[in-house]
Amino acid sequence: MNTKATFTGRARRRTTHPWVKAGDALARLLITLGGIGTIVAVLLVGVFLLVVALPLFRSAEIAFEHVAPLGHDPQRLCSLGTDENGNVGWLLDVAKPDDAKPADAEAGSAPAGMSGRIRLFNLADGAALLDRMGADTGLGGATAVRIAPGSLAAVVGYADGSFRTGRLGLESAFLALTDLPEGLRSLRLGEARRSGDDVILRGGNDRYARISLVTDLAAEPSRSLDARVIDVDITILTAGPLVAALDERGRVRVETISSRRNLLTDEVVATSSGATIEPPAEGADDAEAAAGGPRGSRARFVRVSELGDQVFVIDGDGSARRHAIRSIEEPVLMETFDVAPGSADVVAVARLFGGNALAVGDTAGEVRIFFATRADDATAVDGLRMTAAKTFPPVSPGGQAAITALAASPRSRLLAVGDASGRIRLLQATGESTVLSVNGTAAGAIKVPADQLLIAPRENKLLAADASGVAAWSFDAGYPEVSLRALFGRVWYENYPGAVHAWETTGHESFESKYGLVPLIFGTLKATLYSMLFATPIAILAAIYSSQFMHPRWKSRIKPTIELMASLPSVVLGFIAGLVFAPLVEPAAMTVISGFFTVPLALLAGAHLWQMIPAGRRNRFGTWRFPVIGLVALPAGVLAARVAAPLVERLLFQGDFRSWLDGRGGSGLGGWVVALLPLAGVAAAMLCGRFINPWLRRRSVGWSHGRAAFASLLTFVAGLALAVAIAVAAAMFLDALRLDTRGGLFGTYVQRNALIVAIGMSFAIIPLVFTIADDALASVPDHLRSASLGAGATPWQTAVRVIVPAAASGLFSAVMIGLGRAVGETMIVLMAAGNTPLIGWNIFNGFQTLSAAIATELPEAARGSAHYRVLFLAALVLFAMTFVVNTVAEIVRQRFRRRSHEL
């Protein structure tokens, strides 16, 4: 070790100590690992979001299971069903009615030759489990059956025109191991066996279920019709079931049935009320056809809406009628419409889950989705019109595969469709997409095209019945309600007049969730844009002033105070913005709008007036410029806004700004003046800088300081007048073209709106942008500033033309950091934006952002559901937006940095 004595008498080492080397190596390793770990952690966040969201786009899967050899006559009444878990299926087969029915036969009974056979079978292997005949089921002689989706409530129509309501289907109850009958404890997993009149099934997790066949129909039928019932429908209301029955003469009976228990006798008394809708009079159909209305034919289908307020009667050739039954005893014909244009005949009608949508299949192979929408040209009294919102074309190129069966899911907008070619499709009605398709006859599952289809209650089984048996498939539809079109395109939802971008995952229309991300993306961009427009000029100008003009003593006090604002919690800022600022701004909206112009003008006017003070006195009081601005100019600007607001309201908005926003009178002139005035001010400043200021500098040579300051003030006033003139002229031109800012930049005032968000979020953005921008401006080398001042430039010219360009990369970084804070902000927009997913640039209405939607809805979303995964997809979109913005910002920053290095 080489050493040499120093003046202290101690030897100095010539080599680095091993502990120092080890410390440097360890620090280098930790820094490297920390950097790599940070990058990996950020990437893993994106990967995690992608992993959770990716299953939304996986394809549906279907697998054929078996065929249960339960043949039936396609000419007979047939119906399919399963228990709630999709383990056991049942097939109802009712013989064709005997024309020679005895006149004294009891209504609803099964005369000779009639049967109501129900057969139960295991969906796991197709094994027959139970067989019950008409005498046991009470379904003998039935001509029409309908079961309310997702329940056991049913209505059965008979040949004599009567119909009964009751319960029909399979009912499950879990059994304890001790309650199992002897000999059934050895059941294999998924095996089912008959036990008396019930079926015992061993399910997953060694759980046993007793599955019972329920055929509990009312003892007394309704005898309102006297001809054979050919179709029925039922929906469950709060007061009880609502039933519609159609007979072969075209008459429709609608009834509501309510039950009341007598507290004294414990007897249940059922009461009903309703009306009979007669078919159109002879010749009415021809008159309608001549007037361009639908063709006439015998009615074949009747359906009621989910809410029980409408009944639809559809003829075989597509002529349809919609009746309002809000008053069940006084049905009113609302409109007639056509559900099968051309020469095709209607062969199947299914009511979709929720709402009033109908799926109609015809002999041309097309399936159309109809629902009532509000239309300006509607002829109905209620203002609604039935519209073919979705159309699924035929599968075969020639369109010859007629529809043979339709079945709607009891829990979503899935629709099973069978056609004459043997193909079975699973359609998603909302997104107008084909989820999956299988050719039943080609696969050997069915021999002939299916005449009955069924989607199990849990949407895990698909059943198809033909003359030879019942085929079963297990399927996983995935998330059919979510697609690229549903997420980013326009979709026509029920009760909407047309295709829209919408986000609505909860609410009264839960039957049709809306997962459009466009309103949330738009809301995020809107919040970011308005917040940055409000906060960026204030922060940048404040940084320029504090770094170039403010006295160091004041700067040492002001800058830490502003930096402390960055520590304010977002929830506090959102609370103040939503619950304090919003109620204060609402009654003073015109004053606030005026303040956006009067406050900057007061500051500029104060600056010009300050220049008119003699130089010696101005220098002596130079340290008091900031207090003067804060205590004189700002209050003067606020006072001017309060004084000018009523005048501006009278001149531009006919004395009532809120009424003008709502579209109640007034032209678009005032809105255009307000919107164009900032741009006109920029244009006027550029014109003055290009033409007036050079001329004034030439003429002012030799002028006194006071005269030059007065001329500058006059130039400012002239520029202000020019800006107002430009804004008014442009506004008059645009108003003459019938253009209006209402519906665009302005609109109906909502208390929590984009303006409140911009004000609240500025408290979070300004400290970040100000601090970084001030540091960037202060870091510009002093020799550039000194050279500019030495060349004769004023401090303002030096700041604008030398310092700001040299610090452009730092200023841009400051703006981008503020932008990143605005994009990802949650609590402020959640509490101050109204949380309404609207699309529109109206500064006075609310919106919803991606982050706010995630924060409010993720705790309530079921894990693994479509809603849950779409929220993670929204987080991934937000992650991608931030990543793209930061990437572009870094590219631009590097360009600014290269330019500044050249100075």
Side-chain angles (χ1 to χ4, degrees):
M1 181 182 299
N2 297 325
T3 60
K4 183 179 180 180
T6 63
F7 70 94
T8 61
R10 299 181 61 184
R12 183 174 59 190
R13 294 179 180 272
R14 294 297 183 180
T15 59
T16 305
H17 194 282
W19 284 106
V20 176
K21 292 183 178 180
D24 290 345
L26 180 60
R28 187 163 50 251
L29 177 63
L30 291 176
I31 293 172
T32 303
L33 292 178
I36 296 175
T38 302
I39 296 174
V40 171
V42 173
L43 293 178
L44 285 178
V45 170
V47 171
F48 173 72
L49 296 176
L50 182 62
V51 168
V52 177
L54 201 57
L56 289 171
F57 305 102
R58 63 179 174 86
S59 302
E61 299 176 354
I62 186 169
F64 173 68
E65 291 193 340
H66 61 81
V67 175
L70 305 176
H72 68 279
D73 185 352
Q75 299 300 320
R76 298 177 179 179
L77 172 64
C78 180
S79 183
L80 278 174
T82 69
D83 67 315
E84 61 182 356
N85 296 314
N87 295 318
V88 176
W90 59 269
L91 174 68
L92 168 65
D93 184 10
V94 181
K96 189 175 182 180
D98 192 348
D99 294 335
K101 180 182 176 182
D104 58 348
E106 181 184 354
S109 64
M114 294 188 178
S115 67
R117 186 181 185 187
I118 296 181
R119 287 169 285 179
L120 275 61
F121 57 97
N122 191 351
L123 287 178
D125 54 15
L129 298 174
L130 185 65
D131 195 338
R132 296 179 64 180
M133 301 302 292
D136 301 321
T137 63
L139 295 170
T143 57
V145 176
R146 188 75 57 193
I147 302 174
S151 71
L152 299 183
V155 57
V156 181
Y158 297 92
D160 63 350
S162 64
F163 56 88
R164 291 177 175 176
T165 58
R167 299 169 71 239
L168 177 61
L170 298 180
E171 196 170 47
S172 300
F174 288 110
L175 285 178
L177 190 61
T178 56
D179 296 333
L180 280 176
E182 292 295 334
L184 295 181
R185 299 185 181 183
S186 60
L187 289 176
R188 299 185 305 274
L189 188 65
E191 183 182 3
R193 191 180 302 174
R194 178 177 176 178
S195 175
D197 291 335
D198 300 326
V199 172
I200 306 300
L201 172 76
R202 181 180 179 183
N205 299 324
D206 286 335
R207 303 185 70 178
Y208 294 84
R210 182 191 301 276
I211 301 175
S212 305
L213 176 61
V214 178
T215 56
D216 184 14
L217 300 178
E220 290 296 328
S222 173
R223 302 176 184 272
S224 303
L225 303 175
D226 55 9
R228 178 173 177 265
V229 175
I230 61 174
D231 198 16
V232 290
D233 198 13
I234 182 173
T235 188
I236 305 302
L237 306 179
T238 305
L242 183 147
V243 176
L246 170 68
D247 67 15
E248 59 185 0
R249 296 178 182 175
R251 296 196 303 165
V252 176
R253 176 67 182 180
V254 289
E255 284 188 6
T256 56
I257 303 170
S258 59
S259 300
R260 180 175 55 85
R261 183 178 297 275
N262 191 315
L263 298 179
L264 297 178
T265 63
D266 201 35
E267 180 184 1
V268 177
V269 179
T271 58
S272 63
S273 62
T276 302
I277 303 174
E278 298 293 336
E282 293 293 335
D285 295 335
D286 297 335
E288 290 175 1
R295 305 176 304 280
S297 179
R298 183 75 68 182
R300 290 185 57 188
F301 305 95
V302 63
R303 296 292 183 270
V304 293
S305 62
E306 187 88 2
L307 298 177
D309 59 343
Q310 300 179 72
V311 62
F312 307 94
V313 185
I314 301 174
D315 298 346
D317 65 358
S319 177
R321 297 171 292 282
R322 178 172 66 89
H323 298 262
I325 52 172
R326 293 179 178 86
S327 175
I328 194 65
E329 297 180 350
E330 296 179 357
V332 179
L333 177 63
M334 289 287 107
E335 64 172 322
T336 59
F337 56 99
D338 197 354
V339 296
S343 58
D345 292 330
V346 177
V347 293
V349 177
R351 187 183 72 199
L352 296 181
F353 172 73
N356 61 7
L358 299 177
V360 180
D362 57 32
T363 54
E366 289 190 336
V367 178
R368 296 180 179 85
I369 308 299
F370 288 83
F371 50 72
T373 60
R374 192 162 300 279
D376 296 333
D377 58 347
T379 58
V381 177
D382 57 3
L384 301 177
R385 183 183 65 191
M386 291 295 290
T387 306
K390 317 286 177 66
T391 300
F392 296 90
V395 178
S396 59
Q400 300 302 317
I403 302 300
T404 59
L406 293 177
S409 169
R411 62 185 300 177
S412 72
R413 288 284 179 139
L414 283 181
L415 177 69
V417 179
D419 60 35
S421 68
R423 182 170 295 278
I424 300 174
R425 291 176 289 163
L426 202 61
L427 310 178
Q428 215 289 327
T430 299
E432 201 172 351
S433 61
T434 300
V435 179
L436 55 84
S437 177
V438 61
N439 194 329
T441 55
I446 54 178
K447 305 301 182 184
V448 295
D451 58 86
Q452 292 290 325
L453 293 174
L454 177 73
I455 300 175
R458 293 197 174 184
E459 292 186 349
N460 58 347
K461 301 284 186 179
L462 175 63
L463 274 61
D466 66 353
S468 61
V470 180
W473 289 266
S474 62
F475 72 91
D476 181 4
Y479 303 93
E481 65 272 33
V482 180
S483 63
L484 290 178
R485 178 182 178 183
L487 292 170
F488 303 106
R490 295 179 180 271
V491 178
W492 195 344
Y493 301 99
E494 189 173 336
N495 299 326
Y496 282 68
V500 296
H501 296 288
W503 171 269
E504 184 183 353
T505 56
T506 58
H508 66 283
E509 293 181 356
S510 57
F511 62 87
E512 198 171 30
S513 296
K514 305 165 184 64
Y515 293 121
L517 293 179
V518 172
L520 303 184
I521 296 174
F522 182 87
T524 302
L525 296 177
K526 180 178 178 180
T528 302
L529 176 63
Y530 283 137
S531 300
M532 294 303 293
L533 286 177
F534 188 85
T536 302
I538 297 175
I540 296 297
L541 292 176
I544 294 174
Y545 179 77
S546 66
S547 63
Q548 305 300 316
F549 303 100
M550 184 178 289
H551 193 278
R553 185 176 61 185
W554 281 103
K555 181 178 179 179
S556 64
R557 299 172 182 175
I558 297 298
K559 186 177 179 181
T561 303
I562 296 179
E563 290 174 344
L564 282 176
M565 290 173 55
S567 63
L568 293 175
S570 296
V571 65
V572 175
L573 296 176
F575 178 83
I576 295 174
L579 299 182
V580 179
F581 286 164
L584 292 177
V585 171
E586 183 177 13
M590 192 68 250
T591 302
V592 174
I593 296 297
S594 301
F596 287 146
F597 300 98
T598 58
V599 170
L601 290 177
L603 295 176
L604 292 175
H608 283 86
L609 292 175
W610 181 268
Q611 293 297 322
M612 296 185 67
I613 300 176
R617 189 175 300 174
R618 188 173 65 251
N619 293 333
R620 189 162 56 251
F621 296 104
T623 57
W624 294 94
R625 284 180 297 181
F626 188 80
V628 169
I629 291 174
L631 299 177
V632 178
L634 284 178
V638 174
L639 180 62
R642 292 180 60 88
V643 173
L647 178 62
V648 173
E649 199 167 13
R650 286 196 301 269
L651 291 177
L652 300 181
F653 306 107
Q654 295 187 340
D656 193 339
F657 180 59
R658 297 287 294 274
S659 296
W660 180 86
L661 289 176
D662 292 335
R664 298 197 295 267
S667 66
L669 178 65
W672 283 117
V673 170
V674 173
L676 295 175
L677 196 55
L679 298 178
V682 174
M686 293 177 63
L687 291 174
C688 290
R690 179 68 177 84
F691 298 104
I692 298 179
N693 289 343
W695 175 82
L696 187 62
R697 281 195 295 270
R698 291 193 300 269
R699 294 295 305 270
S700 62
V701 175
W703 286 6
S704 65
H705 174 79
R707 185 179 180 184
F710 183 73
S712 177
L713 178 62
L714 291 179
T715 303
F716 167 71
V717 175
L720 179 61
L722 178 61
V724 173
I726 293 174
V728 171
M732 294 177 64
F733 174 75
L734 293 173
D735 185 50
L737 297 178
R738 304 293 183 181
L739 300 177
D740 202 332
T741 54
R742 286 171 290 187
L745 183 61
F746 301 125
T748 301
Y749 190 95
V750 180
Q751 187 182 79
R752 299 185 181 185
N753 51 54
L755 177 62
I756 302 300
V757 172
I759 296 174
M761 201 179 293
S762 65
F763 285 91
I765 298 175
I766 288 177
L768 297 176
V769 178
F770 168 80
T771 299
I772 299 174
D774 181 81
D775 292 341
L777 293 168
S779 64
V780 175
D782 289 337
H783 67 269
L784 295 178
R785 183 183 294 103
S786 301
S788 176
L789 294 174
T794 64
W796 175 251
Q797 291 173 329
T798 299
V800 173
R801 300 184 182 182
V802 177
I803 305 301
V804 170
S809 63
L811 296 178
F812 189 78
S813 298
V815 174
M816 287 300 103
I817 291 176
L819 181 66
R821 173 68 188 272
V823 169
E825 181 55 49
T826 302
M827 295 309 300
I828 296 176
V829 295
L830 179 62
M831 304 180 71
N835 219 29
T836 51
L838 302 176
I839 297 180
W841 291 108
N842 179 12
I843 195 173
F844 298 124
N845 72 357
F847 54 87
Q848 188 174 19
T849 64
L850 289 165
S851 57
I854 295 169
T856 55
E857 300 183 20
L858 190 58
E860 300 178 358
R863 185 179 181 86
S865 64
H867 185 198
Y868 178 85
R869 296 188 185 278
V870 169
L871 290 175
F872 272 86
L873 180 63
L876 184 62
V877 171
L878 185 60
F879 183 87
M881 289 174 59
T882 307
F883 181 80
V884 170
V885 168
N886 289 338
T887 301
V888 174
E890 181 61 20
I891 294 173
V892 176
R893 191 186 71 83
Q894 291 293 342
R895 183 176 179 182
F896 280 135
R897 190 173 183 179
R898 286 194 297 269
R899 291 179 56 187
S900 64
H901 283 174
E902 296 175 358
L903 297 177

